[in-house]
Amino acid sequence: GSVVASYPYDDSPTHRPTGVYSKSADDEVFKYLAKAYASHHPIMRTGKPNCPGEEGETFPDGITNGAQWYDVEGGMQDYNYVWANCFEITLELSCCKYPPASELQQEWENNRESLLAFIEKV
């Protein structure tokens, strides 16, 4: 996991594992929605999630194009965008896939304003 808002495309024409910006026709809209979420999240907005084992990983403005981060062929986010015209972003909310119950209240606090801002934009 990480703490970042990712947007389409997750797949790239070259299928290189990482580093290929795969721009969609609605790239600016996706960046706008991703930034709306990230800018209200206290960790995400820094662009430095500081996850164990990935301490050097950074995301400008707390967002990333999916394929630029890592290529995912056949992902649901891209499928829904191409075939159902759904504008989805993927929210990575924690370095830990299954945070302990004792951390859930803090996770809610970290995401509440982001969720409200995102809903207002949608």
Side-chain angles (χ1 to χ4, degrees):
S2 193
V3 184
V4 65
S6 172
Y7 56 92
Y9 286 119
D10 286 335
D11 195 4
S12 69
T14 61
H15 304 297
R16 283 188 25 218
T18 187
V20 177
Y21 195 100
S22 191
K23 186 176 180 178
S24 74
D26 297 294
D27 196 62
E28 291 302 314
V29 174
F30 282 119
K31 287 194 291 190
Y32 176 77
L33 292 172
K35 283 182 185 179
Y37 194 97
S39 67
H40 290 85
H41 190 285
I43 298 167
M44 198 179 291
R45 71 174 166 230
T46 70
K48 298 175 185 173
N50 201 28
C51 293
E54 299 288 339
E55 291 84 359
E57 189 170 57
T58 60
F59 302 101
D61 296 320
I63 69 172
T64 188
N65 172 262
Q68 187 169 29
W69 185 21
Y70 65 91
D71 193 273
V72 175
E73 188 175 351
M76 202 63 175
Q77 177 173 267
D78 291 358
Y79 178 88
N80 286 337
Y81 173 59
V82 171
W83 298 104
N85 202 32
C86 293
F87 284 50
E88 298 180 9
I89 64 171
T90 298
L91 300 168
E92 300 274 344
L93 302 178
S94 174
C95 298
C96 176
K97 188 170 185 171
Y98 301 107
S102 61
E103 295 177 13
L104 294 181
Q105 183 62 39
Q106 185 59 54
E107 289 297 330
W108 167 243
E109 296 298 329
N110 288 348
N111 288 281
R112 180 178 52 216
E113 292 304 317
S114 294
L115 286 165
L116 293 171
F118 184 75
I119 289 168
E120 287 173 1
K121 301 300 182 199
V122 173

